[in-house]
Amino acid sequence: MDHLDQLEAQSVYILREAYHSFSNLCMPWSMGKDSNVLIWLSKKAFCGKIPYPVLHIDTTYEFPEMLEFREWARKEYDLDLIVKINEDARAGRGSYTQSVGYETHDPVTVTHELKTVALQQVMAERKFDALITGIRRDEDPTRAKERYFSPRNAEFEWDYKDQPPEFWNQFTTAIEPGEHIRVQPLLDWAEVDIWRYIEREKIPIPTMYFARPGDDGKKYRFRSLGCWPITKPVESTASNISEIIAELLVTKTSERAGRAQDHHERNAMQKLRAKGFM
């Protein structure tokens, strides 16, 4: 059993443990490389049919190519797809005095209102008791503090200073009313592991990850996909997966360097995640 086989087996085990432990499970899906690996692993874990709904939090600032990929994947994988938009925030109604968007607000505020609050809304509507997420420890120092089964309180808050131990694969599954668990099957994967697995398994992904010419004559690709106003590509000539893997082995640029909400203020990611962001 090689390294990828070990990662795959651990992830499948965590997915099956989650399905066994929780009665109302959901998997948020950003349509990026990590969440598409989760789709693939879920199919492997449950004999080709994903037994829980897949949730896309739509900020209304999605790249058109991502929406096209969403529709293709929904049909290809026969997904039970939920699409959630914080309609009140976008329309500036209810408790909102104006429309929330990148034209009027900073990236951290928009991320919280259009992603985290939208997630809170759909959780209240559907009463999910656990969420399967695609975060990895190597992505961000804050995410390195996570556990495989990570509890959130009724206010969606994450106490990153008091995480439960997980000795001998004993996971936290007991929750109080209103609380939920974040299940993290990819926690031990590195970015290069994700790409090697995509290459080995031939997993379909959005073409935005591959280099294409920019207006300045140079080539660029996206390493991480988010809302189009705050997600920038990095300079790269990698036009296929093998070239992406080779590039990752030598690059010093962080994976989320092109995501503006991460860098808007000091400890922005930690503050967002403490409030319930993925």
Side-chain angles (χ1 to χ4, degrees), residues 58-98:
D58 190 344
T59 65
T60 74
Y61 289 97
E62 310 294 342
F63 286 98
E65 290 175 68
M66 299 297 287
L67 295 178
E68 291 174 9
F69 185 86
R70 183 180 76 184
E71 183 60 20
W72 173 86
R74 182 187 66 80
K75 296 176 180 177
E76 177 71 16
Y77 299 128
D78 190 24
L79 301 176
D80 177 7
L81 176 64
I82 302 167
V83 177
K84 176 64 180 178
I85 299 172
N86 185 347
E87 302 281 5
D88 285 349
R90 290 299 289 131
R93 66 188 181 216
S95 61
Y96 297 93
T97 57
Q98 67 176 132

Side-chain angles (χ1 to χ4, degrees), residues 197-256:
Y197 190 72
I198 289 171
E199 181 180 48
R200 188 183 84 172
E201 301 289 312
K202 297 180 174 58
I203 301 173
I205 55 170
T207 58
M208 296 169 66
Y209 283 114
F210 304 116
R212 59 183 69 176
D215 294 336
D216 59 0
K218 298 179 181 178
K219 288 188 174 182
Y220 298 87
R221 74 176 188 88
F222 290 90
R223 280 181 70 187
S224 181
L225 297 174
C227 297
W228 64 261
I230 61 166
T231 304
K232 306 302 179 185
V234 297
E235 187 174 346
S236 170
T237 59
S239 59
N240 57 54
I241 296 177
S242 295
E243 291 175 356
I244 288 175
I245 292 170
E247 179 183 87
L248 291 178
L249 296 178
V250 297
T251 187
K252 295 182 180 179
T253 303
S254 69
E255 181 177 358
R256 294 178 66 89

Side-chain angles (χ1 to χ4, degrees), residues 116 119-121 123-124 127-129 150-159 175-182 274-276:
T116 304
L119 178 63
Q120 292 171 339
Q121 292 170 347
M123 291 283 286
K127 308 299 183 185
F128 295 124
D129 52 5
S150 185
R152 299 296 192 272
N153 67 20
E155 286 71 44
F156 266 56
E157 294 171 336
W158 172 46
D159 188 354
I175 53 175
E176 298 296 327
E179 297 179 345
H180 71 279
I181 297 290
R182 301 279 175 92
K275 293 179 180 179

Side-chain angles (χ1 to χ4, degrees), residues 36-44 77 197 201 203-204:
N36 283 315
V37 166
L38 272 184
I39 291 280
W40 200 261
L41 289 168
S42 294
K43 285 171 61 65
K44 284 200 171 189
Y77 299 128
Y197 190 72
E201 301 289 312
I203 301 173

Side-chain angles (χ1 to χ4, degrees), residues 13 267 274:
Y13 171 73
N267 297 326

